[in-house]
Amino acid sequence: MALVFKVRGAIKNYDWGKLGSQSAVAQLQKAGFYNFNIDEKTPYAELWIGTHDSGPTIIPFINNMKLKDWLTSHTQSLGTNISNAFDVSKGLPFLFKVLSVNKSLSIQAHPDKSTAEKLHREFPDKYPDDNHKPEMAIALTDFEALCGFRPLCEIQTFFKHIPHLQKIIDIKIVDKFMNSTNKDDLKHLFTAVMTCTKNVFESQLEEISKGFQSNQFNNELCFSIRDLFLKTYNQYPGDIGCFCLFFLNYLKLKPGEAIFLAANEPHAYLYGDCVECMACSDNVVRAGLTPKFRDVETLCNMLTYQCKSSEENKFLSIRDPEDPYIKIYNPPVPEFAVDLIELKEKGKSYALKILQSASVLLVVKGKGVYKSENVECELTLGSILYISSGCQVYLNQIHEMLIFRAYCSA
């Protein structure tokens, strides 16, 4: 049996996804698998590539066998990077995704390992994994997100220029925060806002919306989120999560720019398409902008409350010193790293670097042919390739190609 072969990812149709053929997820699945039919009224939110039980990748040419099941009898395929550090019975330690975001995801964070184990033990129906979930997103298109707490001075500016914010919580908490540089005071303020009752905050939230519509808040920082607030309020009217726009950084990423989200960092993706890689987990703690289960107390208690600027929240890639075609995104976790491979010279043969880790490769642009051992097969937009550890793979591009490759960096 070949150790390099095509696989098929799992589609997730969450409400926040882009509709029909507007979705990069749908476009990739249709291009990679001609028997996939797109429904223009259906949201195509995520494409999962990995061995998580909630969205298993399959091997079409082996009767749609789950990749995880194949790996059970081919554990050597995972490589030493994985086998020396992780439980090989669980398959790949990373989960690779494509996201197509049409409206804001929930205000959320992912627990660290010990918190994940505790939540899974106590509430297994709400938290299906005992694993942590650090994650990284790399923009495919212009991409918008909330990420990490703003500098304290910015949050204080909002509370100064938008008086309605001060009316929903104890003024003593506000006064203490306005003169503070202490993250504990930020925690008290944020917790007070996020646990405020609907009969108290809903009218003030509506007044804030009216204030933005009439340009009542003419401070430059307030103006910078005016359109975002009105859009989010329209998507989730009366939702307490709208207040998070005054606490979290608003990032606009260009294609190729990235953010890394360590455990306990608040975030929400707002709009655009990206590839995402994370530890193999589906644990999410939510507090707003969602109809799903919210666990506000847990979220407020677990957050780091570390304040950074928008630019400080961006995660920078590095050029591979041995390969000018590769940008490496290697966050400070052992489960995953991602290579962005850009091949512009048509008709040229290119050798993928040999890794001591199983990897998955996704084509997001172009067309070519891969060769491994005695196998030769076409790669097109949407093709997904599983590559066993230690395997040499050659690519012959027919058209300019853009490829992402996820692997274990341990």
Side-chain angles (χ1 to χ4, degrees), residues 71-282:
L71 288 170
T72 299
S73 55
H74 298 82
T75 54
Q76 74 283 358
S77 159
L78 291 168
T80 54
N81 281 11
I82 296 174
S83 62
N84 288 346
F86 302 99
D87 181 355
V88 295
S89 69
K90 295 183 178 180
L92 298 173
F94 58 86
L95 179 58
F96 194 43
K97 295 182 181 181
V98 179
L99 273 61
S100 288
V101 182
N102 191 46
K103 67 176 184 179
S104 175
L105 279 68
S106 56
I107 301 296
Q108 61 184 260
H110 306 300
D112 57 31
K113 182 66 174 173
S114 61
T115 304
E117 291 172 347
K118 180 176 182 291
L119 291 173
H120 176 66
R121 185 170 59 250
E122 295 177 355
F123 310 104
D125 57 325
K126 305 298 183 185
Y127 300 101
D129 297 295
D130 63 358
N131 196 17
H132 66 164
K133 192 185 174 187
E135 66 183 29
M136 176 174 61
I138 306 169
L140 289 174
T141 63
D142 288 347
F143 193 78
E144 299 177 28
L146 300 176
C147 180
F149 282 100
R150 293 173 174 270
L152 282 175
C153 61
E154 293 188 8
I155 302 171
Q156 289 163 344
T157 296
F158 283 127
F159 272 78
K160 177 181 178 181
H161 289 274
I162 304 177
H164 310 284
L165 292 172
Q166 300 191 25
K167 296 179 181 180
I168 63 175
I169 56 176
D170 188 335
I171 192 63
K172 293 179 182 177
I173 297 176
V174 177
D175 287 343
K176 188 175 182 182
F177 170 74
M178 294 298 284
N179 299 297
S180 175
T181 57
N182 190 324
K183 70 177 184 179
D184 288 338
D185 292 325
L186 172 60
K187 179 178 181 178
H188 292 150
L189 181 76
F190 183 75
T191 302
V193 170
M194 295 307 292
T195 56
C196 182
T197 58
K198 196 174 185 69
N199 66 313
V200 173
F201 77 75
E202 193 170 34
S203 61
Q204 298 302 327
L205 194 59
E206 184 178 1
E207 288 301 315
I208 293 173
S209 176
K210 291 178 181 177
F212 274 119
Q213 290 178 54
S214 62
N215 291 318
Q216 179 182 336
F217 315 124
N218 54 16
N219 172 269
E220 183 179 349
L221 184 62
C222 294
F223 186 77
S224 72
I225 67 161
R226 174 187 180 274
D227 292 345
L228 175 62
F229 182 92
L230 293 175
K231 178 181 177 181
T232 307
Y233 185 78
N234 183 59
Q235 292 173 346
Y236 298 95
D239 193 300
I240 199 168
C242 293
F243 288 111
C244 290
L245 303 181
F246 305 115
F247 287 91
L248 306 183
N249 285 296
Y250 176 35
L251 273 71
K252 294 182 178 180
L253 303 180
K254 293 295 183 183
E257 291 186 320
I259 51 176
F260 171 67
L261 299 155
N264 305 325
E265 290 293 343
H267 62 280
Y269 299 151
L270 302 174
Y271 187 81
D273 303 295
C274 73
V275 295
E276 188 181 40
C277 201
M278 63 199 64
C280 189
S281 171
D282 197 27

